[in-house]
Amino acid sequence: MSKELVKGNEAVGEAAIRAGCRYFFGYPITPQNEIPEYISARMPEVDGVFLQAESEVAAINMVYGAGGAGGRIMTSSSSPGISLKQEGISYIAGAEVPCVIVNMIRGGPGLGTIQPAQSDYFQATKGGGHGDYRMIVLGPSNLQELVDLTYEAFDLADRYRNPVMVLGDGVMGQMMEPVVFPEMRDLDELPEKEWATTGRGQRDETNLINSLYLDPQDSYEHNMRLADKYARIKENETRFKTLHADDAEYMFVAYGTVARIVRKAIESLREEGHRVGLLRPITLWPFPDEAFEQLVEQVKGFLTVEMSTGQMFEDVRLALNGAVPAEFYGTTGGIMPDYRDVAEQMKKTMDKVGDAS
Amino acid sequence: MKAAFRRPESLTDVQTHYCPGCVHGIVHRITAEVIDELDLQDRAVGVASVGCSVLAYDYFDVDFQQAAHGRAPAVATGIKRVRPDASVFTYQGDGDLASIGTAEIIHAAMRGEKITVIFINNAIYGMTGGQMAPTTLRGQKTTTSPYGRDTEHSGDPIRVCEMLATLPGAVYLERTSCHDARHIMQTKRAIKKAFEVQEKGQGFAMVEVVSNCPTNWGMTPRESLEWVEENMIPYYPLGEFRSPEEVE
Ligand SMILES: Cc1ncc(C[n+]2csc(CCOP(=O)(O)OP(=O)(O)O)c2C)c(N)n1
Ligand code: SF4
């Protein structure tokens, strides 16, 4: 298959269409505008629906209605807009409506900046909305992975009847890279959704999309059933990649765009003879705790690098549970780390850990 | 022998939780009758809002989605866009539709979204215990306007039909009441028309039912219906604000 040179945001749009997404509801916000723009042009070609909603609040509730009615649905936004969607995401998780949400993160808090950031990690992986729910969060690191994960996100959403978030950032949306698009899904082969509110038709029972459980025992059981599902997702879907895990004495932990910068730092450090590697979580929830368990025997220290003041770092520390030292380096508010600074920070980590041992 | 009175097919055999004398029960029943008469039970998808009618999904024997507070028109939009052949309706209170959900209702109407909205205006927040609503009348006492609604402070009550009537997409808007049998029959005719407008694909249709809340108004059911007639209707005049005939 031939490679096409595309912009990240447009790649998301095309990947979604190919995955069988036929309904998109969104509201403009930089730096993800090319997603709704691309889809608004593309949907009519595949008899799909693009609708610009009056707000992100309305958009996510359209997603809830449309997903509940059985469609393959996506919405996209960037940080301030994703904040507005949180109520809807909580309802979607509670009522178990499959859908895909893309967040091309920009710097915050508040109106922040339109420059890239990773400062919505907490919001994405720790709830954001109210209640004891989890969302599958995918953190692609290059455009091919962005395409592949967006494509697969719809299947994950359907398989678990759960919202799935693709967590990118402003750079990923704007940059261009060659990608190979997966084939167009045959809509007739998508799974039947016998639970959807299609109108009762010939069914004996009516269908209900709902997150209200007034009786505390019912509510408890609903939550425990969700917890079982989340445990299954963790068991089956946790993903990560490593680089130089065979010989690394020190490891970076990074995801998304930052992982690319870290790779460059690793190249220069290895040229100088340092045995450094990378652990790159692909699913940010479920977080790949086990990957750390396998590495602590061999690795002397971990340096987490993020475009935040240390959000994923908390998960890294929980996963390591004090087994080996964990250090952090971050840039925030829309500034990207420079690979030379990243390499320098690793040297500091090595000195610090080396001195201590 | 012909049965003079029986439960509509589209209502479940579940006892509602509504207070004695509350209009919610009546509007449920006539809505279910309309769904039966138009043979929509197999294609109807309801959207329950947040308010006293939050459990509407237990009472209607049709597919349902429960929406967040105020968001029912957006949820209905999503359903209708995926299932254009379904008959999609929302059932919303005045706190839900005229306060927290104003953006959603205005834009659903603006888009001419082909949905049916049943809007219960009882001038108060029933479910949460009788707080002031945007529709609370001037001087009306509620738990958060204990001295009566002061329009200097809280403004004048919102008239939703009049406001939506400026939007071409809102092809059918009617305000009715349920304070006596004649008006109940008129409400039923209006609800039927609102479903027919959707069936014909004409656009957005809404029936605003001027209603009561005897519990939080601190009245007997009879007093509350008199209060509807004497106080609510003068401020919320009944009638058609947009008629689908204008569209045809
Ligand atoms: C986001 C949110 N805010 C507040 C509430 C609390 N709440 C529940 S019902 C309600 C008011 C309902 O009043 P109305 O829509 O007039 O319906 P009624 O109960 O009078 O039928 C409120 C404020 C909520 N459930 N969600
Ligand atoms: S509180 Fe008011 S609106 Fe709610 S059921 Fe009782 S009477 Fe009806």
Side-chain angles (χ1 to χ4, degrees), chain A residues 168-184:
Chain A
D169 59 57
V171 213
M172 203 174 284
Q174 298 304 320
M175 71 187 198
M176 293 186 81
E177 253 174 21
V179 301
V180 178
F181 282 109
E183 65 185 47
M184 208 61 162

Side-chain angles (χ1 to χ4, degrees), chain A residues 43-180:
Chain A
M43 272 302 184
E45 297 174 0
V46 292
D47 293 327
V49 175
F50 164 85
L51 188 61
Q52 182 165 320
E54 60 269 32
S55 68
E56 289 86 351
V57 175
I60 194 72
N61 282 285
M62 290 172 185
V63 167
Y64 173 85
R72 277 210 151 178
I73 321 292
M74 183 166 89
T75 183
S76 68
S77 190
S78 179
S79 311
I82 296 288
S83 289
L84 273 182
K85 289 185 195 288
Q86 292 303 324
E87 177 200 44
I89 293 174
S90 169
Y91 277 70
I92 283 169
E96 298 185 87
V97 172
C99 69
V100 175
I101 303 154
V102 178
N103 181 4
M104 291 296 180
I105 309 178
R106 60 190 243 182
L111 203 47
T113 166
I114 58 170
Q115 302 306 318
Q118 293 182 321
S119 41
D120 296 352
Y121 179 93
F122 281 159
Q123 186 194 53
T125 62
K126 310 292 177 194
H130 60 283
D132 212 347
Y133 74 91
R134 303 287 189 280
M135 181 163 59
I136 299 170
V137 184
L138 307 172
S141 178
N142 57 52
L143 292 203
Q144 187 62 55
E145 205 175 39
L146 178 65
V147 164
D148 294 343
L149 289 177
T150 302
Y151 190 80
E152 204 192 333
F154 291 91
D155 291 331
L156 287 171
D158 280 349
R159 189 172 315 141
Y160 296 101
R161 281 189 65 180
N162 211 69
V164 177
M165 179 172 276
V166 177
L167 199 65
D169 59 57
V171 213
M172 203 174 284
Q174 298 304 320
M175 71 187 198
M176 293 186 81
E177 253 174 21
V179 301
V180 178

Side-chain angles (χ1 to χ4, degrees), chain B residues 168-201:
Chain B
V171 300
Y172 177 47
L173 299 168
E174 178 158 357
R175 186 183 288 124
T176 65
S177 165
C178 278
H179 66 276
D180 60 23
R182 185 169 65 87
H183 285 90
I184 290 171
M185 292 320 292
Q186 178 53 30
T187 300
K188 183 176 168 183
R189 277 193 294 276
I191 289 175
K192 192 167 194 171
K193 194 162 165 184
F195 276 96
E196 285 167 345
V197 165
Q198 181 178 173
E199 284 298 289
K200 290 184 200 150

Side-chain angles (χ1 to χ4, degrees), chain A residues 23 25 49-55 57-59 61-71 73 87 91 97 196-203 205-214, chain B residues 9 41-45 50 54-55 57-58 60-69 71 73-84 86 100 103-108 111 113 127:
Chain A
Y23 306 91
F25 306 93
V49 175
F50 164 85
L51 188 61
Q52 182 165 320
E54 60 269 32
S55 68
V57 175
N61 282 285
M62 290 172 185
V63 167
Y64 173 85
I73 321 292
E87 177 200 44
Y91 277 70
V97 172
T197 57
T198 54
R200 196 179 69 172
Q202 302 308 312
R203 266 185 271 119
E205 299 284 318
T206 54
N207 281 343
L208 173 65
I209 298 294
N210 177 41
S211 61
L212 178 67
Y213 294 85
L214 282 174
Chain B
E9 287 285 314
Q41 192 183 8
D42 289 349
R43 284 193 290 122
V45 182
V50 176
V54 66
L55 293 174
Y57 56 76
D58 274 345
F60 285 99
D61 201 9
V62 302
D63 279 4
F64 246 84
Q65 290 195 198
Q66 201 293 313
H69 199 18
R71 316 299 173 218
V75 174
T77 298
I79 300 169
K80 186 72 182 179
R81 295 297 177 129
V82 174
R83 304 284 167 195
I100 196 166
E104 284 76 12
I105 196 69
I106 288 174
H107 285 268
R111 289 189 301 267
E113 209 63 60
M127 190 196 212

Side-chain angles (χ1 to χ4, degrees), chain B residues 10 12 19 36 55 76 92 100 110 116 119 134 136 149 155-156 180 187 191 203 209 222 224 229 238 241 243 248:
Chain B
S10 301
T12 58
C19 306
D36 284 3
L55 293 174
Q92 304 175 255
I100 196 166
M110 181 205 78
T116 300
F119 168 34
T136 294
R149 179 177 183 148
D156 281 307
D180 60 23
T187 300
I191 289 175
V209 185
R222 179 185 290 274
S224 76
E229 194 173 6
L238 307 183
F241 292 84
S243 129
E248 276 167 352

